[in-house]
Amino acid sequence: MLGKKLVTAQKRGETRALCLGLGMVACSMMMYFFIGITIVPFYSNSVWTTETVCKVLKANIKDKVVCPNNEGSEDVEIFPYPCLQVWVNLTASGQEVMLYQTEDTLQRNPKCSYVPDKLENSKEVKARIETIASNFKKYQTFPCYYDPGGTQTNVILSRLYPSKGLLFAFLWPTLMFTGGCLIIVLVKISQYVSVLSAWQ
């Protein structure tokens, strides 16, 4: 009687462990799919792939401009902000080009190097942009990214999804997939050992 209870409990434990392993594998596959349709296209479509050194030539704050908070949406909110324009000397080619914060900045407003998030307090936006401008004037030389193919003549300060960020995004689903497969393998080995012991 005790032996049957132990066998039943063992089978239940194996079933739960097998479901856990399969669930982890399924979740990791969903995470791979989500990363593949969101982050990977942005990374592969970015032409600013080569890192170089940029030297600030001028950083000016122009008059206020307006920018939609969400492009493409029906309910577009317009908010004004000072337009910061940063021009740098590209070390790789010696050209004078305009600097943008990220790839998204160029799409949102090609006239400004920095596009702030919508804030209710306009003084905070102005203070932030003035701080950014003073930092560019203070730190004249810094790393930036440019397009080696020449399709884009401007440069960006940082990529939205760098190589390290992409690898980090794939790290967690990979660990989950590996753990799920390991649990399934261990359960199958345990079942095989149990069947072999019962046959002997």
Side-chain angles (χ1 to χ4, degrees):
M1 189 67 179
L2 182 60
K4 290 184 178 180
K5 289 183 178 180
L6 290 174
V7 171
T8 304
Q10 183 180 3
K11 288 183 177 180
R12 288 178 180 175
E14 289 177 350
T15 303
R16 291 174 181 174
L18 190 61
C19 290
L20 175 63
L22 292 174
M24 291 174 66
V25 171
C27 288
S28 63
M29 290 292 105
M30 293 176 62
M31 292 174 68
Y32 277 130
F33 176 75
F34 179 76
I35 294 172
I37 63 174
T38 55
I39 299 179
V40 174
F42 282 106
Y43 175 81
S44 58
N45 293 334
S46 178
V47 295
W48 296 271
T49 56
T50 305
E51 184 176 351
T52 185
V53 177
C54 289
K55 184 177 181 181
V56 176
L57 297 175
K58 53 185 176 180
N60 302 324
I61 298 178
K62 301 293 183 180
D63 295 334
K64 285 187 176 181
V65 296
V66 292
C67 180
N69 189 28
N70 294 312
E71 288 190 11
S73 61
E74 296 179 358
D75 185 17
V76 178
E77 298 181 10
I78 306 295
F79 67 99
Y81 61 91
C83 182
L84 172 64
Q85 293 182 347
V86 180
W87 293 87
V88 297
N89 184 14
L90 188 60
T91 305
S93 61
Q95 295 178 338
E96 180 180 340
V97 296
M98 190 169 177
L99 174 74
Y100 295 94
Q101 184 185 13
T102 61
E103 301 95 330
D104 184 58
T105 307
L106 178 62
Q107 295 179 356
R108 293 178 66 185
N109 191 349
K111 295 181 180 180
C112 303
S113 298
Y114 173 75
V115 177
D117 296 328
K118 183 176 183 295
L119 297 176
E120 297 296 333
N121 192 348
S122 59
K123 293 182 179 180
E124 293 181 5
V125 175
K126 183 179 179 181
R128 180 182 299 179
I129 292 177
E130 289 177 351
T131 302
I132 294 173
S134 62
N135 287 336
F136 276 119
K137 295 176 181 178
K138 182 179 179 180
Y139 303 101
Q140 291 285 315
T141 306
F142 51 87
C144 59
Y145 295 90
Y146 75 100
D147 175 19
T151 56
Q152 291 288 344
T153 56
N154 42 59
V155 295
I156 61 173
L157 181 62
S158 60
R159 301 182 66 183
L160 280 174
Y161 301 104
S163 301
K164 292 182 180 179
L166 189 66
L167 292 176
F168 185 77
F170 278 106
L171 175 63
W172 296 111
T174 301
L175 291 176
M176 184 178 293
F177 178 79
T178 305
C181 291
L182 184 62
I183 290 175
I184 294 173
V185 170
L186 291 176
V187 169
K188 292 300 180 180
I189 292 175
S190 176
Q191 291 176 348
Y192 175 77
V193 172
S194 298
V195 172
L196 187 62
S197 300
W199 181 77
Q200 290 180 349

